[in-house]
């Protein structure tokens, strides 16, 4: 035989030379859950190893992450029921603990990239991403004003990237107009472009206590059966001024990551969601999978499919292992 592909696999050194896909800590964003009590630290039962932090504890966690090379964080608020109402009014209150925590993070670590989440569900007594009318319908256009106020409040609090996860039509353009009109032209928008109505979000909703009180999110999140529809969403987001396009979830939608990568010049993000993380941890704890190589293979698959950025709860552990030379 003249051609023997195995020659390029015969040692670790040679395999590294020809390796096509590499995940770096520069690619990663770590999602964090914020509690109101500054000193609180509570593990998410359905996400082993993932905690909800008060701001004092979160600052320490961010410091540890910076030491191993993770520099970007997506911060989600855990909002108590007493603060929730039908119009999510706390979502744009600059004195609320979430906005104050964002300011504290940027004051303490001005070099980090802070991403925020724009959606009504953490603040809504209905648990939906938009206003719910008396018939249970999610009102798209009426929700945009609240979403715009929320985005502006987060920008005023120091957010570098706004992440509209609500999937209301037209929200990227609406947010861009609000930010620009108020002088925040340098604040980026990472649109949840192809956010599917997925069964993989359960542990995240546990972490935020944000599950819908009635119905589901299928009228605004995408049908998992659809691929071409992602191109429609992406076209609109690009036209409306998005700076990044996101696919969520990641592992079950690698084809969508590849589709967007092949059709758009904007950076593509993939959200390695809570259910995907929890499956890995549960299998590893039962001895069914070897955690570290499986985690690495998951992240490589997202990067190989075309993701420039990966939001993952594994970010800190991956970075620690990379720093120690174990990956």
């Amino acid at each position: 035989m003249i051609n023997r592909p195995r020659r390029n696999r015969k040692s670790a050194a040679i395999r590294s030379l020809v390796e096509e896909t590499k995940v770096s800590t520069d690619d990663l964003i770590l999602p964090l859950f914020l509690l109101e009590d500054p000193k609180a630290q509570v593990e998410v039962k359905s996400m082993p190893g993932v905690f909800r932090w008060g701001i004092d504890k979160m600052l320490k966690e961010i410091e540890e992450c910076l030491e191993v090379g993770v520099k970007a964080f997506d911060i989600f608020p855990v909002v108590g029921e007493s603060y929730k109402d039908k119009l999510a009014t706390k979502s744009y209150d600059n004195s609320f603990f979430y906005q104050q925590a964002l300011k504290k993070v940027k004051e303490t670590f001005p070099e980090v990239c802070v991403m925020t989440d724009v959606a009504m569900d953490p603040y809504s007594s209905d648990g939906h991403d938009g206003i719910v009318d008396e018939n249970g319908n999610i009102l798209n256009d009426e929700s945009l004003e609240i979403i715009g106020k929320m985005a502006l409040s987060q920008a005023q609090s120091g957010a570098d990237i706004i992440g509209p996860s609500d999937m209301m039509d037209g929200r990227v353009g609406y947010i861009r107009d609000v930010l620009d009109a108020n002088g925040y032209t340098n604040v980026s928008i990472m649109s949840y472009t192809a956010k599917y109505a997925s069964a993989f979000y359960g542990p995240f909703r546990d972490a935020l206590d944000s599950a819908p009180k009635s119905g589901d999110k299928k009228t605004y999140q995408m049908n998992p059966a659809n691929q071409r529809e992602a191109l429609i969403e992406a076209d609109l987001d690009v036209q409306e001024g998005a700076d990044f396009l996101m696919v969520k979830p990641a592992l079950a939608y690698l084809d969508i990551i590849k589709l967007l990568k092949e059709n758009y010049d904007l950076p593509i993000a993939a959200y390695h969601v809570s259910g995907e993380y929890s499956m890995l941890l549960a299998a590893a704890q039962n001895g069914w999978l070897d955690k570290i190589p499986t985690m690495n293979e998951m992240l490589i698959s997202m990067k190989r499919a075309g993701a420039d950025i990966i939001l993952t709860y594994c970010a800190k552990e991956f970075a620690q292992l990379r720093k120690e030379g174990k990956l």
Side-chain angles (χ1 to χ4, degrees):
M1 288 183 282
I2 295 174
N3 297 311
R4 291 181 180 268
R6 286 185 57 190
R7 282 195 287 260
N8 286 346
R9 305 175 195 146
K10 66 184 177 183
S11 70
I14 290 177
R15 289 193 296 273
S16 294
L17 284 175
V18 299
E19 189 170 84
E20 299 174 25
T21 305
K22 296 180 185 293
V23 177
S24 162
T25 53
D26 291 336
D27 304 324
L28 306 180
I29 297 176
L30 175 64
L32 295 171
F33 301 119
L34 176 73
L35 291 167
E36 182 177 15
D37 180 353
K39 300 186 181 305
Q41 177 179 328
V42 181
E43 188 172 24
V44 181
K45 290 183 179 180
S46 56
M47 300 178 71
V50 173
F51 291 84
R52 302 188 285 189
W53 312 93
I55 185 58
D56 293 352
K57 299 285 188 179
M58 183 174 287
L59 291 174
K60 178 63 175 174
E61 177 72 0
I62 290 172
E63 182 179 21
E64 292 179 4
C65 288
L66 288 171
E67 290 172 357
V68 295
V70 177
K71 304 179 289 294
F73 306 90
D74 191 0
I75 301 175
F76 297 87
V78 182
V79 180
E81 287 295 325
S82 63
Y83 293 124
K84 298 181 182 184
D85 58 40
K86 289 187 70 67
L87 297 180
T89 53
K90 283 296 182 182
S91 68
Y92 51 87
D93 181 349
N94 283 3
S95 65
F96 198 47
F97 77 90
Y98 179 57
Q99 284 84 339
Q100 292 301 305
L102 296 176
K103 290 180 181 179
K104 187 70 172 178
V105 171
K106 289 300 290 185
E107 288 169 0
T108 308
F109 304 109
E111 71 275 25
V112 306
C113 172
V114 171
M115 180 175 169
T116 55
D117 179 62
V118 172
M120 288 177 57
D121 56 334
Y123 313 88
S124 167
S125 53
D126 292 304
H128 277 282
D129 296 50
I131 298 171
V132 182
D133 70 11
E134 62 276 9
N135 298 314
N137 299 309
I138 312 302
L139 304 179
N140 190 97
D141 296 9
E142 293 84 346
S143 300
L144 295 183
E145 182 179 358
I146 295 170
I147 289 164
K149 288 179 180 179
M150 193 187 317
L152 178 59
S153 178
Q154 293 173 2
Q156 291 169 336
S157 302
D160 299 292
I161 301 174
I162 300 294
S165 63
D166 56 284
M167 290 300 285
M168 297 297 110
D169 292 340
R171 89 274 199 207
V172 171
Y174 194 97
I175 290 170
R176 185 75 271 161
D177 288 345
V178 169
L179 293 178
D180 289 357
N182 285 275
Y184 291 96
T185 56
N186 289 329
V187 173
S188 305
I189 298 175
M190 182 183 290
S191 176
Y192 285 59
T193 297
K195 181 180 180 181
Y196 285 85
S198 172
F200 287 101
Y201 301 149
F204 178 92
R205 291 172 182 165
D206 288 345
L208 289 192
D209 297 322
S210 63
K213 299 299 190 294
S214 63
D216 55 42
K217 301 191 176 187
K218 293 180 180 179
T219 65
Y220 48 100
Q221 294 179 356
M222 285 181 56
N223 184 341
N226 291 355
Q227 182 185 71
R228 293 193 302 271
E229 187 180 5
L231 296 175
I232 298 172
E233 292 283 359
D235 281 344
L236 291 170
D237 287 350
V238 171
Q239 293 166 18
E240 292 174 23
D243 300 286
F244 308 84
L245 305 178
M246 185 200 290
V247 176
K248 182 182 180 183
L251 286 176
Y253 298 88
L254 295 175
D255 59 320
I256 309 301
I257 296 171
K258 183 175 179 61
L259 182 69
L260 296 193
K261 184 65 173 178
E262 290 176 341
N263 284 277
Y264 300 94
D265 294 327
L266 292 178
I268 306 301
Y271 199 142
H272 184 206
V273 300
S274 60
E276 295 169 334
Y277 169 87
S278 294
M279 287 194 306
L280 168 63
L281 267 290
Q285 288 178 348
N286 279 283
W288 299 335
L289 290 173
D290 190 343
K291 178 185 173 184
I292 292 173
T294 306
M295 173 189 71
N296 192 43
E297 188 174 339
M298 285 179 168
L299 297 177
I300 286 173
S301 74
M302 299 167 208
K303 190 73 183 290
R304 190 183 66 245
D308 302 290
I309 299 161
I310 301 172
L311 293 88
T312 176
Y313 303 96
C314 300
K316 183 183 180 185
E317 183 175 8
F318 174 91
Q320 287 173 326
L321 291 167
R322 178 58 59 87
K323 186 175 182 179
E324 294 166 2
K326 296 178 180 178
L327 275 180

